[in-house]
Amino acid sequence: MKEKERIFQTLKQVADAIGKIFGRHCEVVIHDLTHLTDLSHSLIHVAGDVTHRKPGAPITNVVVKALHEEGNEVKDQYNYKTT
C-alpha cells in the first residue's frame, strides 16, 4: 500500500470514529486535494449523513473560497453552516 493510501485509510478511520462519537447530527468528510486543478470529484469518504453527499461529490464552495483566499496557508474551519 502506498503512503498516500495509508494516510487516507487512517483519516477514514478517524472520520468514522468521530461520526460514531457525535451521532446522527455529525458529518465528517475527507477530500483528496492532491489534484487542485480538478476538485469536481474530490470527496473520497463520508462518515454520517447530514448533507446526503456521497464519495465522488465535488468540494464545497466554502473550501474553494478559502483555498483561493489563503492558498497553502488555509486554516481548518469547524462548525460552519452551509446550505
Side-chain angles (χ1 to χ4, degrees):
M1 184 181 292
K2 295 179 184 178
E3 182 180 7
K4 178 181 168 181
E5 292 170 356
R6 282 194 304 269
I7 291 169
F8 278 124
Q9 186 59 39
T10 300
L11 290 172
K12 290 174 183 179
Q13 292 172 332
V14 171
D16 289 340
I18 292 169
K20 288 177 182 173
I21 289 168
F22 288 98
R24 66 184 184 102
H25 296 294
C26 176
E27 181 176 274
V28 182
V29 298
I30 306 295
H31 285 275
D32 181 351
L33 302 179
T34 57
H35 304 288
L36 289 176
T37 55
D38 180 16
L39 298 174
S40 60
H41 305 287
S42 65
L43 183 58
I44 61 170
H45 185 75
V46 181
D49 189 26
V50 175
T51 63
H52 310 298
R53 291 183 291 172
K54 303 288 182 214
I59 201 160
T60 64
N61 60 345
V62 171
V63 179
V64 171
K65 181 180 177 189
L67 287 170
H68 284 300
E69 291 177 358
E70 301 176 44
N72 289 335
E73 302 300 318
V74 68
K75 296 170 186 62
D76 292 336
Q77 297 182 16
Y78 306 99
N79 284 332
Y80 64 88
K81 291 185 179 184
T82 186
T83 56

